[in-house]
Amino acid sequence: VPVVPVGQLAPVLLRPGFGDRIVVEVRAQDGAAPRAATLEHLRQVLRDASGKEIVLDGVRRLGGEGRAWTSATIVEAAAAASAAPTSQVTLRLLFLRGSFEDDTGVLGVAVRGDVAAVFSDQVTAAAGLLVAPAVIEDAVTIHELGHLLGLVDLVLRAGRADPAHPGHSPNRRSVMYWQVESGAITQLLGGGIPTELDAADRAELTAIRAG
Ligand SMILES: [Zn+2]
């Protein structure tokens, strides 16, 4: 599989002519499995964006302990747990124990065009008393999916992204706002944690899909 930078698989995912379905391999370590509602939301967002059939493969179990993950070890884990033939349009979403590079402020990360991870321990820790972990898990999962779909401005380069936080929406009501994947997510509590793409995000996906 060629190494595709984050967001650069979006045209293949979204445009017709690259198959009529997308497989999402969902893998989770013990104690890190995502909620069913999170996966249903993921399926819905991906289906709305692509118009394609979405096939969720998993949740299947991923072995090993929580650790300080890196982009390289996440990609290795995704490959080792993959069931897909390389010809298939496949996304790989891992729910992991531990942290990213020992940074407990990272809730999720997209590391390659087809690979993203959510750090379930950090999601739980960020939730605290004020917000349900289910809401944060949902928000972070959709945020990372958004990056794999080319948001924000990873493909079109139209100058729409937050200049201080490339790849992110300037709108704090968008799930693509930068703080959504950080431990500072609860600073967004006033007005609610965003879990949905905003109109500008959806328009960007439509533009990518149109080619
Ligand atoms: Zn992000």
Side-chain angles (χ1 to χ4, degrees):
V1 181
V3 175
V4 180
V6 172
Q8 302 311 307
L9 197 62
V12 170
L13 293 167
L14 296 177
R15 289 174 192 161
F18 298 94
D20 56 5
R21 60 185 221 158
I22 299 170
V23 176
V24 184
E25 295 185 340
V26 184
R27 305 290 183 260
Q29 292 189 294
D30 289 345
R35 291 153 182 84
T38 298
L39 296 181
E40 187 48 39
H41 191 198
L42 175 92
R43 181 206 298 273
Q44 183 187 90
V45 170
L46 195 47
R47 187 178 51 212
D48 288 350
S50 68
K52 299 180 184 181
E53 180 195 358
I54 309 305
V55 179
L56 294 184
D57 168 24
V59 180
R60 296 200 206 185
R61 183 170 176 272
L62 190 68
E65 303 289 315
R67 59 190 284 189
W69 295 87
T70 65
S71 296
T73 57
I74 290 169
V75 166
E76 280 170 24
S82 179
T86 53
S87 60
Q88 201 160 246
V89 178
T90 303
L91 296 180
R92 298 168 176 90
L93 182 59
L94 308 186
F95 291 82
L96 302 173
R97 306 296 301 266
S99 64
F100 186 67
E101 296 176 344
D102 271 330
D103 183 349
T104 57
V106 177
L107 305 187
V109 66
V111 296
R112 200 175 70 180
D114 59 333
V115 182
V118 174
F119 299 96
S120 299
D121 294 334
Q122 310 313 327
V123 165
T124 303
L129 295 174
L130 293 176
V131 57
V135 173
I136 296 187
E137 178 186 279
D138 184 23
V140 175
T141 301
I142 300 301
H143 182 103
E144 301 313 329
L145 173 67
H147 284 320
L148 298 185
L149 293 177
L151 298 176
V152 169
D153 225 17
L154 299 179
V155 174
L156 297 184
R157 310 282 182 198
R160 188 173 82 79
D162 179 349
H165 302 280
H168 293 102
S169 170
N171 177 12
R172 69 175 297 290
R173 299 300 180 93
S174 165
V175 74
M176 296 313 296
Y177 194 65
W178 70 274
Q179 279 183 329
V180 168
E181 69 187 347
S182 96
I185 186 171
T186 49
Q187 292 173 18
L188 297 170
L189 263 181
I193 305 262
T195 59
E196 300 289 349
L197 302 173
D198 72 4
D201 299 328
R202 292 194 301 274
E204 188 174 332
L205 294 178
T206 300
I208 296 170
R209 187 174 165 186

